[in-house]
Amino acid sequence: MPYRKKEIEKVYYRIGEVAEMFGVNVSLIRYWEKEFDIIKPFRNKKGNRFFTKQDVDNFHLIYHLVKERGFTLQGAREKLKANRDDVTANHEVVKTLQQMRAFLLELKQNLSED
């Protein structure tokens, strides 16, 4: 049986890594952290923020509502408070459709090269 290397997933992400994931400034991540109570990063003795996978998932939801759907911060807060499950499901559907689109575009490009 061949050896399969397991993907190592980080437990904590630095603020710069989170900002890079979304293509935004570090200051925006700090601002969203203050504005949304669902984001609770771990802080070390030095005061550096470390975000968990759950925090990153919450950032995905916030980014989807604010940047992609055009909600205000207050509107995004209310939407997450009212029906978080619907927002999560909607975000998952959008993410799946984007992955499908990327796959189909790659397939089209590969077929046109032949």
Side-chain angles (χ1 to χ4, degrees), residues 28-75:
L28 183 62
I29 299 298
R30 274 191 235 110
Y31 181 69
W32 282 353
E33 175 200 343
K34 286 190 291 186
E35 292 294 318
F36 292 92
D37 58 351
I38 60 174
I39 298 172
K40 300 285 185 204
F42 166 74
R43 289 179 185 247
N44 63 7
K45 291 180 182 179
K46 193 175 175 184
N48 297 340
R49 294 169 177 87
F50 293 98
F51 297 95
T52 62
K53 178 71 173 141
Q54 181 64 39
D55 291 328
V56 173
D57 291 342
N58 288 332
F59 275 123
H60 276 288
L61 293 176
I62 294 167
Y63 184 87
H64 173 71
L65 289 174
V66 174
K67 295 290 187 177
E68 294 173 352
R69 295 201 41 209
F71 278 69
T72 62
L73 292 180
Q74 181 64 31

Side-chain angles (χ1 to χ4, degrees), residues 85-114:
D85 293 336
D86 290 344
V87 173
T88 305
N90 187 15
H91 175 67
E92 291 299 321
V93 168
V94 169
K95 190 166 49 170
T96 303
L97 288 174
Q98 288 172 341
Q99 290 171 349
M100 265 194 225
R101 183 174 189 264
F103 171 75
L104 290 173
L105 289 174
E106 181 183 338
L107 184 65
K108 178 181 173 185
Q109 181 180 7
N110 290 340
L111 289 175
S112 67
E113 290 175 356
D114 292 338

Side-chain angles (χ1 to χ4, degrees), residues 12-22 24-31 33 41 43 48-51 59:
Y12 292 109
Y13 297 90
R14 292 184 349 253
I15 191 167
E17 293 171 325
V18 175
E20 190 176 307
M21 285 180 201
F22 295 101
V24 298
N25 293 330
V26 174
S27 60
L28 183 62
I29 299 298
R30 274 191 235 110
Y31 181 69
E33 175 200 343
R43 289 179 185 247
N48 297 340
R49 294 169 177 87
F50 293 98
F51 297 95
F59 275 123

